[in-house]
Structures are given as structure tokens and as C-alpha cells.
């Protein structure tokens, strides 16, 4: 994020970058969810498609006990991708609000007598 130049800033967050990137996580979460559903329903529908030869039995013996854990882990990844999308959108909104708040703290106001007054020092 940012232009790649060293501006001396410690944190250079561009809300447009966050807002444009956030939906990618949602899209990829949906894609992973679709792939997981296809995998589970296809394998469940086929039974043991890896066969009864030596390699098929070895795969089935290793896969079956781990099948639910694999499916659960992939489901967790789906939820993670979707939550990253939501968090990035919230972070973008919060960053804008925070910048406005900080700017307000350092805004100089003119008093009635014309002297500058730092409103944030109240």
C-alpha cells in the first residue's frame, strides 16, 4: 500500500487501497467455500474413489480418519477470508474517522479577540 517511495512516514495507510483490496478476500472466501462444498459432496457421492489397490488403500487409510479435520480446517479458512474482508472495511472506516479526529485536535480556532487557539488543548 502506498507508492513505494520512502516518505519518512511511519504509517502510510491509504483508505482507497484498503477499500479496493477488501472485496478480494470476500470473493476468494466464496471461491474456497464453493471448492470445499464440491470436494465434500463429490467425495461423499463417490464413496471411495481412490480404489482398492495398494496405493488407494494407503490413501484411504490416511485420508478417512483426517477427512473431517481437513474439511473443518478449510471451513475455518473460508471464515477467516470473509472476516478479513469485514475487518478491512471496518478498519478503513475507522481510519478515516481517526484521521478526522486527530485533525480536529490540531485545528487552530480563532477566538473573538483574533488570537489563535489550539482547540485540542482544552
Amino acid at each position: 500500500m502506498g507508492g513505494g517511495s520512502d516518505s519518512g512516514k511511519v504509517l502510510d495507510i491509504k483508505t482507497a487501497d484498503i477499500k479496493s483490496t477488501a472485496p478480494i478476500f470476500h470473493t476468494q472466501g466464496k471461491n474456497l467455500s464453493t471448492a470445499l462444498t464440491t470436494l465434500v459432496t463429490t467425495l461423499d457421492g463417490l464413496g471411495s474413489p481412490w480404489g482398492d489397490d495398494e496405493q488407494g488403500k494407503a490413501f484411504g487409510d490416511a485420508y478417512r480418519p483426517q477427512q473431517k479435520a481437513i474439511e473443518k480446517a478449510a471451513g475455518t479458512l473460508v471464515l477467516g477470508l470473509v472476516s478479513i474482508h469485514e475487518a478491512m472495511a471496518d478498519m478503513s472506516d475507522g481510519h478515516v474517522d481517526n484521521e478526522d479526529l486527530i485533525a480536529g485536535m490540531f485545528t487552530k480556532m480563532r477566538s473573538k479577540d483574533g488570537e489563535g487557539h489550539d482547540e485540542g488543548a482544552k
Side-chain angles (χ1 to χ4, degrees), residues 8-103:
K9 292 183 180 180
V10 174
L11 188 59
D12 185 20
I13 299 174
K14 298 199 178 354
T15 55
D17 290 345
I18 296 170
K19 285 184 182 264
S20 67
T21 303
I24 294 169
F25 288 94
H26 180 73
T27 300
Q28 296 307 324
K30 284 175 55 176
N31 291 344
L32 181 57
S33 179
T34 300
L36 176 60
T37 300
T38 301
L39 174 69
V40 170
T41 57
T42 301
L43 287 180
D44 286 350
L46 294 173
S48 299
W50 37 83
D52 333 344
D53 62 356
E54 186 178 330
Q55 288 179 328
K57 286 180 183 179
F59 176 82
D61 290 346
Y63 175 74
R64 267 188 241 111
Q66 300 299 319
Q67 181 178 1
K68 293 299 174 196
I70 292 167
E71 292 168 5
K72 184 178 178 182
T76 300
L77 288 172
V78 169
L79 294 175
L81 289 170
V82 172
S83 69
I84 289 171
H85 164 251
E86 293 168 1
M88 288 181 79
D90 289 347
M91 182 175 65
S92 172
D93 294 341
H95 182 69
V96 169
D97 293 343
N98 191 45
E99 280 191 339
D100 292 344
L101 177 66
I102 291 170

